[in-house]
Amino acid sequence: MAKGTIAKTVSERADLLPLISEVFRRHGYEGATLALIGKATGLGKGSLYHFFPDGKAQMAAEVLAEIDHWFEVNIFAVLRNSNDPAQAIADMTACVDRYFRSGNRVCLVGVIALGASRDIFSSQVQDYFSRWNDALAQTLRRAGFSAGVARRRSEDALLTIQGALVLARALDDTRVFGQAMVDMQARLLAK
Amino acid sequence: MAKGTIAKTVSERADLLPLISEVFRRHGYEGATLALIGKATGLGKGSLYHFFPDGKAQMAAEVLAEIDHWFEVNIFAVLRNSNDPAQAIADMTACVDRYFRSGNRVCLVGVIALGASRDIFSSQVQDYFSRWNDALAQTLRRAGFSAGVARRRSEDALLTIQGALVLARALDDTRVFGQAMVDMQARLLAK
DNA sequence: CAGAGACTGTACCGATCGGTACAGAGAGTC
DNA sequence: GACTCTCTGTACCGATCGGTACAGTCTCTG
């Protein structure tokens, strides 16, 4: 009930999600507190619950949806629509390297997959990876590989990205991530 | 101050660590609460703080030390001492598959590496992976590979294990982990 | 200018957080 | 039996958790 100390900033929902996303990335679902999210966005709980009436779970769900959409547009769709498989895979690799800032940024979907919160978001996590897997395998099929090889190579690529992020962070060496991306691209199109 | 309701169970420190380890694995460092640890061990805070006066941080540090020791004995030492590189790598692969229960169990060191708690345990995390990396690269050198190739293949193997754990959990498909272990072993000794 | 509705900070809620204090219970020693 | 030391449960601490309530402030519409 302090007198007239309320400013008006008018935040856009779309501007909020990337900021919240980084908090979840850094601290995981359980570690991301409303206080941290408030600090990152510059908003109080009032505003936060105005935009996300269902609280933290809704924020995480919408962040995951936005990430899913970004990958759908920038990566999955490119893989599906390209008729130059080698170029599509090169584009994907470059895009992934840029997105994860050469290993300095962590994959939120992977972080959630490892934690206890996987059970809450299991369908979104599974969907993200299996759609990526399908799109990439489809591209490899178009490059002339059998369904089995395509699928196996695609899974290998996905797991390489996730593992490279873990190891690069563990060793504090982004070079590990860069090398893994080079190796991954070579393995995808080998032979 | 309820009257005489205190039982005497006499827990062994050594029996405690594996139980605590599983809590950290499932919930991460921030998500592992004293209540969960108490539930898992069947001990109250009194006993917990008797064994670990510095609380949660000490528990995590000792769990990490125990994991480190287990890998040192069962994996790193085997890699260093074997004079049959192919056999040593096959043993490592089998041992890793067993330890991670074919992808059903998560790597605590990897989980910590991804989270904010990495900063607290950075030296232990880095040590674990770089000692593994050194031991494996040394084995590959003995198999006749150049230092550069050995190092690159070794890093690739470590990242494959971590990524396979993430992807297997995300897709809820342990087959992914098994296939990754097969591929990893083949790539380590290829050509 | 009046009213509606979106957006804001803040006080507050019960629950739980990590951690402390402490007394009771058991086993060993004399 | 009295003393000591280890191990135990539990009451309690201040801080913070996710979430609610609400009054104030702005913009937009008439």
Side-chain angles (χ1 to χ4, degrees), chain B residues 17-171:
Chain B
L17 285 176
L19 298 172
I20 299 176
S21 160
E22 292 307 313
V23 179
F24 281 119
R25 243 180 257 276
R26 257 191 278 283
H27 298 91
Y29 180 72
E30 10 266 335
T33 67
L34 258 9
L36 286 169
I37 294 170
K39 180 98 67 179
T41 56
L43 292 178
K45 292 185 181 183
S47 309
L48 253 18
Y49 273 84
H50 171 72
F51 290 112
F52 308 97
D54 289 338
K56 201 173 143 178
Q58 184 183 357
M59 296 180 206
E62 293 203 15
V63 163
L64 281 176
E66 205 200 35
I67 291 172
D68 189 281
H69 179 252
W70 192 93
F71 275 79
E72 175 60 40
V73 170
N74 293 84
I75 297 193
F76 307 166
V78 174
L79 286 172
R80 286 195 211 98
N81 300 330
S82 168
N83 40 17
D84 181 346
Q87 186 59 48
I89 282 169
D91 289 348
M92 177 190 91
T93 306
C95 207
V96 162
D97 186 72
R98 226 178 310 121
Y99 181 84
F100 293 116
R101 304 213 191 109
S102 303
N104 283 312
R105 197 195 204 192
V106 131
C107 176
L108 177 57
V109 193
V111 168
I112 287 181
L114 277 186
S117 53
R118 179 193 65 155
D119 300 337
I120 312 175
F121 304 106
S122 62
S123 67
Q124 289 164 87
V125 167
Q126 189 164 345
D127 211 52
Y128 168 85
F129 281 110
S130 56
R131 285 204 347 274
W132 192 348
N133 198 21
D134 290 345
L136 181 52
Q138 184 182 323
T139 303
L140 290 169
R141 287 235 59 184
R142 248 179 289 130
F145 296 106
S146 74
V149 170
R151 189 139 209 93
R152 239 177 305 140
R153 289 198 182 191
S154 170
E155 283 169 1
D156 172 71
L158 297 194
L159 120 209
T160 297
I161 295 168
Q162 295 300 314
L165 290 170
V166 174
L167 192 62
R169 236 182 103 78
L171 293 177

Side-chain angles (χ1 to χ4, degrees), chain A residues 4 8 33-34 45 49 56:
Chain A
K8 192 69 191 288
T33 67
L34 257 10
K45 291 184 181 183
Y49 273 84
K56 200 172 143 177

Side-chain angles (χ1 to χ4, degrees), chain A residues 13 49 71 75 89 94 98 101 103 107 120 166 168 170 174:
Chain A
R13 214 190 158 79
Y49 273 84
F71 274 80
I75 298 193
I89 283 168
R98 226 178 310 120
R101 303 212 193 111
C107 175
I120 312 175
V166 174
T174 62

